[in-house]
Amino acid sequence: MTAIDPEVVDWSRAQFALTAMYHWIFVPLTLGLSFVLAIMETLYVKTGDERWKEITRFWMKLFAVNFAVGVATGIILEFEFGTNWSNYSWMVGDIFGAPLAIEGIFAFFIEATFFAVMFFGWSRVSKRFHLVSTWMVAIGSNLSALWILVANGWMQHPVGMAFNPDTARNEMVDFWEVLLNPNAVTKFLHTVSSGYVLAGLFVVGVSAWFLLKRKNTLLAKRSILVAGSFGLLASVYLVVLGDASAYVVAQDQPAKLAAMEGVYRGAERQGIVVFGLLDPDKEIGDGQAPFLFDIEAPYMLSLMGFHDVNAFVAGIDDLVYGNPERGIEGAASKIAKGKRAVAALAAYKEAKEAGDAEAAAAARAELAALERYLGYGYLEAPEDIIPPVPLTFYSFHIMVSLGFWFIALFLVILFLLMTGRDLGRYKLWLRLALFSIPLGYVAQEAGWIVAEVGRQPWAIQDMLPVGVATSDLDAASVTVTFWLFAVLFTALLVAEVRIMLAQIKKPAASGEEGAHV
Amino acid sequence: MYRDGFRELEVGRRLWLIVIVKVAIIVTLALTLFPNYLNEAYDTDADRAAHVLDALTPAATEVAP
């Protein structure tokens, strides 16, 4: 066995990131807009007002464009697992099999059945059956996301499994522990809620454009009422959920938490950096201040991470070099134990091949005792346990800042609308709403970066670093496929935007001037 | 329902053309450029497991994180 070429690892990571991030452009709008459609159609069925039906059908067309262009972009990810990440895929196959199979069944049956009714069944089925179909599409799409995120949550915090040294696989021993993994639960809720916020921004932003152009005013105002309320509720829920997410990350991924907040030296009553400029010359363990400038909200990180304002929050230096006073084991010690675990695995393999049952049993016992350090055995330097701090820190703060901006935007727009003001006169806020659509996507991608870059160097937390998870491929072939997909996905994105714009610019039926909500 | 629905599409056949071409390209690229590494190289699960175990048990100095 020779070490994998680092260039292959980097290009494989870049390719997966490219594919996942493009895929994630399409998915969150589907997750959120499906519920907006369901709410609008419910209003139609409840009130019998045909204009609600027209409004629902208008947004359903845009939903169809997004869904049609985005569908199947995720297939590439599954192929990349088998090609670029074969060691990883082999190790997790038993864990991922169940959730991904359930996801496939959900996606197939719900998409094949209820999507057809939702898109094509307006005049073919009863109102109520159509409404049920729209709700089923929304619920089904979101449940599909659940299973993907259960798999992702397991990678961040592997539970409910046992490593089998005979097959080199992690085998599921407790399905419910995998499903109810706190990391998976918070990740699912956070991810789908962010999709609801994006859908709210999308509908409010497009509606704002209508109001700026003084067209489709009834559609715009009613849409803002529904999507703005939906987006606001989801945004506020994300703030609440942020607390739960911070708690989970603090328990399971302290290096990620430290990178997200740029904490190098741990402290009690640790604050959160509201705004900060990292010192680009800062090195781990150099004792220098990490920020050139920062504004801090005191106590908040201790409170969110440990639900105690006086709690000690470990910094990067503590995690890398250890802090015996706080009972924090340094990375060097973990790496040493990890190398013993790797040696025990090798000894077990050799003993089995030699038919030496006694030696195999001893090696397996040693491996079991050190298994939670196994991944550290593939690292060389203590500093390797820390993810890229600037990328994680800035992505996290961009995401959070935008989240609070979205709350303010939804609040103001809804206030103006619901207090009976002529929203069309507030052009600045309408333009801000329009320009917040791309910001919603920026927040989505920033969140993905925090989750995935923030857990480096691990493919599976503490168990398998990315350098060992990768297949031994030719770097040139990975590079070529990277650019192929970059071109393909960019073309798809351009197509989606162009078709969306064409649909939005078409006049809607319920656009009478000055219509009341 | 699908057949009638497609005939009466309002969004435009161009969209569905994109969908069909896209899926065809993705599936073709995936099948030609993304073979399953372990399935291509080995015939049995035992051999695949042995390969991954080899990857997991290198000399420590050979592994780059």
Side-chain angles (χ1 to χ4, degrees):
Chain A
M1 165 76 196
T2 56
I4 305 290
D5 179 358
E7 197 180 351
V8 173
V9 178
D10 289 343
W11 275 108
S12 293
R13 288 181 61 201
Q15 187 180 73
F16 199 88
L18 173 92
T19 319
M21 291 179 83
Y22 261 111
H23 181 57
W24 196 245
I25 287 174
F26 305 109
V27 175
L29 188 59
T30 297
L31 297 178
L33 197 52
S34 59
F35 273 118
V36 173
L37 293 176
I39 295 166
M40 287 174 169
E41 191 176 338
T42 302
L43 289 168
Y44 160 58
V45 172
K46 282 277 182 191
T47 64
D49 184 344
E50 286 290 323
R51 285 171 296 187
W52 275 117
K53 181 181 178 183
E54 291 162 13
I55 292 168
T56 307
R57 294 193 70 163
F58 171 78
W59 294 110
M60 199 171 280
K61 282 183 199 171
L62 301 188
F63 178 87
V65 174
N66 182 66
F67 179 81
V69 177
V71 73
T73 52
I75 289 175
I76 299 296
L77 294 168
E78 300 199 20
F79 280 91
E80 286 172 11
F81 279 135
T83 303
N84 301 57
W85 303 95
S86 59
N87 293 339
Y88 160 85
S89 296
W90 181 262
M91 283 188 74
V92 303
D94 190 64
I95 304 289
F96 281 23
L100 294 184
I102 296 169
E103 191 273 337
I105 291 167
F106 261 113
F108 178 79
F109 282 109
I110 289 175
E111 288 167 15
T113 308
F114 293 108
F115 266 67
V117 178
M118 188 177 91
F119 286 131
F120 307 138
W122 284 102
S123 57
R124 293 178 177 83
V125 297
S126 71
K127 271 186 189 180
R128 290 195 178 275
F129 183 69
H130 192 277
L131 177 62
V132 168
S133 300
T134 306
W135 276 104
M136 286 304 294
V137 167
I139 293 166
S141 305
N142 281 260
L143 280 178
S144 289
L146 168 69
W147 300 107
I148 300 289
L149 293 165
V150 162
N152 185 281
W154 184 87
M155 290 154 64
Q156 316 264 350
H157 180 49
V159 292
M161 58 86 192
F163 177 67
N164 184 341
D166 294 311
T167 59
R169 300 193 100 150
N170 290 297
E171 295 170 351
M172 190 185 296
V173 294
D174 188 338
F175 172 78
W176 295 105
E177 199 179 356
V178 173
L179 177 61
L180 301 175
N181 178 359
N183 202 305
V185 172
T186 53
K187 184 171 287 294
F188 168 69
L189 294 174
H190 189 94
T191 305
V192 297
S193 300
S194 72
Y196 305 160
V197 175
L198 181 71
L201 289 169
F202 178 79
V203 173
V204 169
V206 172
S207 300
W209 183 79
F210 284 144
L211 292 176
L212 281 167
K213 296 290 178 188
R214 296 279 176 186
K215 57 190 265 191
N216 301 333
T217 50
L218 178 70
L219 179 148
K221 289 178 180 176
R222 285 190 173 187
S223 298
I224 287 174
L225 187 64
V226 171
S229 306
F230 183 68
L232 177 62
L233 286 173
S235 299
V236 172
Y237 180 60
L238 273 179
V239 175
V240 176
L241 200 60
D243 174 69
S245 300
Y247 182 79
V248 166
V249 173
Q251 313 306 312
D252 304 331
Q253 297 173 297
K256 180 193 274 189
L257 184 73
M260 284 161 64
E261 278 298 318
V263 177
Y264 279 78
R265 192 173 289 177
E268 293 176 345
R269 296 177 285 282
Q270 183 73 53
I272 275 180
V273 175
V274 177
F275 176 80
L277 283 176
L278 286 165
D279 182 349
D281 297 325
K282 169 70 183 163
E283 300 282 347
I284 297 170
D286 67 2
Q288 301 296 311
F291 293 100
L292 296 172
F293 172 77
D294 69 297
I295 301 170
E296 192 178 285
Y299 306 111
M300 288 303 292
L301 193 57
S302 291
L303 182 63
M304 292 177 71
F306 298 93
H307 295 166
D308 175 2
V309 290
N310 295 311
F312 177 84
V313 178
I316 288 170
D317 293 349
D318 302 293
L319 297 166
V320 170
Y321 304 117
N323 185 338
E325 279 180 34
R326 300 287 177 178
I328 298 171
E329 185 177 12
S333 166
K334 291 182 178 179
I335 289 172
K337 290 176 183 173
K339 292 194 185 300
R340 282 172 53 201
V342 173
L345 180 59
Y348 176 75
K349 187 179 72 166
E350 284 173 21
K352 264 197 70 186
E353 285 167 0
D356 186 344
E358 193 177 336
R364 187 157 187 167
E366 169 88 346
L367 176 62
L370 297 167
E371 195 178 292
R372 67 195 182 99
Y373 298 103
L374 181 68
Y376 289 92
Y378 306 105
L379 305 181
E380 291 305 313
E383 292 80 5
D384 292 343
I385 69 162
I386 301 302
V389 176
L391 185 56
T392 310
F393 174 85
Y394 287 120
S395 298
F396 176 66
H397 284 77
I398 286 170
M399 177 187 71
V400 172
S401 304
L402 287 174
F404 281 105
W405 159 244
F406 299 151
I407 290 176
L409 178 72
F410 286 133
L411 273 174
V412 171
I413 294 280
L414 282 172
F415 174 78
L416 294 174
L417 181 70
M418 295 174 79
T419 51
R421 288 168 167 80
D422 179 6
L423 203 50
R425 292 176 57 196
Y426 293 85
K427 293 188 185 305
L428 173 63
W429 282 100
L430 294 177
R431 289 192 184 104
L432 287 171
L434 180 59
F435 293 128
S436 291
I437 296 175
L439 293 181
Y441 286 94
V442 169
Q444 291 286 335
E445 300 295 348
W448 186 88
I449 290 170
V450 173
E452 302 307 309
V453 174
R455 71 180 159 101
Q456 295 305 311
W458 305 110
I460 307 171
Q461 183 74 33
D462 295 349
M463 185 173 282
L464 187 72
V466 289
V468 187
T470 322
S471 307
D472 191 7
L473 300 170
D474 174 28
S477 66
V478 184
T479 312
V480 168
T481 49
F482 172 91
W483 289 113
L484 267 176
F485 283 112
V487 171
L488 175 65
F489 285 131
T490 303
L492 285 176
L493 185 59
V494 171
E496 160 147 358
V497 171
R498 290 184 64 170
I499 298 170
M500 280 264 192
L501 289 177
Q503 288 301 314
I504 290 167
K505 286 175 181 172
K506 277 187 181 175
S510 58
E512 61 263 50
E513 289 294 326
H516 295 294
V517 177
Chain B
M1 188 178 292
Y2 273 115
R3 189 192 59 209
D4 295 343
F6 277 100
R7 279 182 184 162
E8 295 164 18
L9 275 176
E10 291 178 44
V11 177
R13 292 173 200 278
R14 189 164 58 113
L15 177 63
W16 292 100
L17 183 66
I18 288 174
V19 174
I20 293 164
V21 170
K22 173 196 69 177
V23 171
I25 291 173
I26 285 177
V27 171
T28 305
L29 288 178
L31 291 175
T32 53
L33 300 176
F34 288 89
N36 186 294
Y37 183 86
L38 292 177
N39 288 350
E40 288 274 310
Y42 302 101
D43 293 329
T44 67
D45 275 356
D47 290 339
R48 292 176 196 120
H51 169 88
V52 177
L53 274 174
D54 281 346
L56 292 175
T57 53
T61 52
E62 289 181 338
V63 181

